[in-house]
Amino acid sequence: AITPFTHGRWDAGVEARVAREAGEKNPEEAAAAYYADGALDPAGTRAALARLDAPVLVVAGGYDVGLPPDRAVAYAALFGRGETAVLPGGGHYPWADDAAWFVRTLAAFLTWRGSPFIH
């Protein structure tokens, strides 16, 4: 019922993609692995992220209910070189809400850091 609210726009194309993706998930197995004994080590995870010597970009939409912009900023801060980009008016899938913005943002992030992947 809340799925439309996770998108910056809700139209027939988005609705069709969401319906298609529903059949591609296995939430029971994912939850079992995610919550398995020993799977979570918050302190260890935070320490490892802080030591990561790589630029990290956390992307969110301005109306993202799954990763609100303030949480995206907090998550980016867990990384030694973390940054945040927020699509104004976007939802939880900014690459679907505005693919051109997403590509420009990601390309600028990689190019500015001299990434060997962007020429």
Side-chain angles (χ1 to χ4, degrees):
I2 68 165
T3 299
F5 297 107
T6 64
H7 298 271
R9 62 181 167 75
W10 186 254
D11 58 23
V14 175
E15 191 171 5
R17 180 179 51 80
V18 168
R20 184 182 65 254
E21 289 173 352
E24 299 170 353
K25 298 178 182 178
N26 187 338
E28 292 80 19
E29 282 188 30
Y34 187 81
Y35 294 111
D37 287 340
L40 301 175
D41 177 10
T45 300
R46 284 185 181 94
L49 295 178
R51 289 190 308 270
L52 181 64
D53 185 27
V56 173
L57 181 64
V58 178
V59 180
Y63 297 132
D64 192 340
V65 296
L67 179 63
D70 62 335
R71 297 308 316 150
V73 170
Y75 287 149
L78 294 172
F79 296 90
R81 296 168 55 192
E83 299 179 32
T84 308
V86 177
L87 170 62
H92 191 63
Y93 306 95
W95 50 89
D97 292 332
D98 189 339
W101 175 90
F102 182 76
V103 169
R104 281 192 315 274
T105 301
L106 187 57
F109 176 79
L110 294 173
T111 302
W112 183 72
R113 281 140 195 89
S115 169
F117 303 110
I118 304 292
H119 300 284

